[in-house]
Amino acid sequence: MSPTNTPTRCRENSFFSKLTIALVCIFFILMAIISIAWLIMHPHDPGFQVTSLSVTNFNVSDSQVRGKYEVGLTITNRNKFKTQVVSHGVGVLRLYREEWHSMAAVQQQKRVFMEKLTNKSVKIDLVVSESRKKVVPEDLVKDWNKGVVNFNVVVLSVKVIFESGIWPSMDKLLDVQCTNLDLEFHSPTKDTGKLLGIGKNCYTNNVGGRT
């Protein structure tokens, strides 16, 4: 091996090391700039309101509450930039606060594109897939026989995507919780129920930051 090759290789190694360090520094500077920009823009979570709730094929046994649910939501973009809302995965149906609840599958993913400061309506279908508690409370059965049952609906892992100009989008995951919803079961067989009243606002929990 020629001795003259050693300085050349050292210079090459030094160049690649400096280039790597420079690229890493540029990456972190860009991430810092993007993070600061989104902090300044301060995106607000969308607002959610239940406008309708209906259930068909409703049936109560000793161990399970069955039915197909359709939840009507009005979503409000509170930001001066575009926002996407994507519902996928699972929901939870809760009755009597925490006394009984079951997991429910979201039948079809919904993707809602929203311009700045706008409202949009969306309907989400839920089908019960699993009961967490195997004994249905007696009060639930009594209220169902009387014709009114109180529900809480939670849609898990709703993805919100904020988009503003040239900046990379920012994502977050929310659980949307809609509580104290009274359904009236008015049919002779009491297998069909609809929401009483004009609807209620939901609240959100942040379960994931930027992805």
Side-chain angles (χ1 to χ4, degrees), residues 79-115:
N79 301 292
K80 295 182 178 180
F81 42 81
K82 295 179 181 179
T83 301
Q84 291 186 49
V85 178
V86 184
S87 66
H88 54 86
V90 297
V92 177
L93 298 169
R94 290 196 179 103
L95 289 80
Y96 299 92
R97 298 182 176 88
E98 298 296 332
E99 290 184 28
W100 183 91
H101 70 277
S102 66
M103 302 303 294
V106 177
Q107 281 198 303
Q108 184 178 7
Q109 177 176 296
K110 302 285 186 178
R111 183 180 293 269
V112 182
F113 296 89
M114 306 182 68
E115 297 293 333

Side-chain angles (χ1 to χ4, degrees), residues 45-201:
D45 293 345
F48 295 86
Q49 183 184 43
V50 173
T51 52
S52 65
L53 174 60
S54 63
V55 57
T56 56
N57 301 322
F58 190 81
N59 187 31
V60 177
S61 66
D62 292 338
S63 61
Q64 193 168 15
V65 176
R66 294 183 175 87
K68 179 180 178 181
Y69 302 81
E70 183 183 77
V71 184
L73 296 173
T74 294
I75 306 174
T76 302
N77 181 12
R78 301 167 175 168
N79 301 292
K80 295 182 178 180
F81 42 81
K82 295 179 181 179
T83 301
Q84 291 186 49
V85 178
V86 184
S87 66
H88 54 86
V90 297
V92 177
L93 298 169
R94 290 196 179 103
L95 289 80
Y96 299 92
R97 298 182 176 88
E98 298 296 332
E99 290 184 28
W100 183 91
H101 70 277
S102 66
M103 302 303 294
V106 177
Q107 281 198 303
Q108 184 178 7
Q109 177 176 296
K110 302 285 186 178
R111 183 180 293 269
V112 182
F113 296 89
M114 306 182 68
E115 297 293 333
K116 61 181 181 180
L117 302 174
T118 56
N119 298 330
K120 277 199 175 180
S121 297
V122 62
K123 290 190 176 180
I124 298 174
D125 294 327
L126 301 173
V127 175
V128 171
S129 58
E130 176 190 357
S131 293
R132 289 293 183 90
K133 291 194 175 182
K134 299 305 181 184
V135 179
V136 176
E138 291 183 5
D139 288 344
L140 190 162
V141 180
K142 290 179 181 178
D143 285 354
W144 179 48
N145 289 328
K146 291 177 182 178
V148 177
V149 178
N150 185 266
F151 282 79
N152 297 333
V153 175
V154 182
V155 184
L156 301 177
S157 300
V158 174
K159 187 176 184 179
V160 181
I161 306 170
F162 303 105
E163 301 175 346
S164 180
I166 62 172
W167 299 106
S169 63
M170 187 181 78
D171 302 352
K172 68 190 308 184
L173 291 177
L174 303 175
D175 286 348
V176 180
Q177 305 195 36
C178 311
T179 61
N180 199 26
L181 306 170
D182 288 328
L183 267 71
E184 181 181 24
F185 293 84
H186 49 74
S187 63
T189 57
K190 292 186 173 61
D191 63 347
T192 301
K194 290 188 177 181
L195 181 68
L196 284 173
I198 58 174
K200 294 187 177 182
N201 291 328

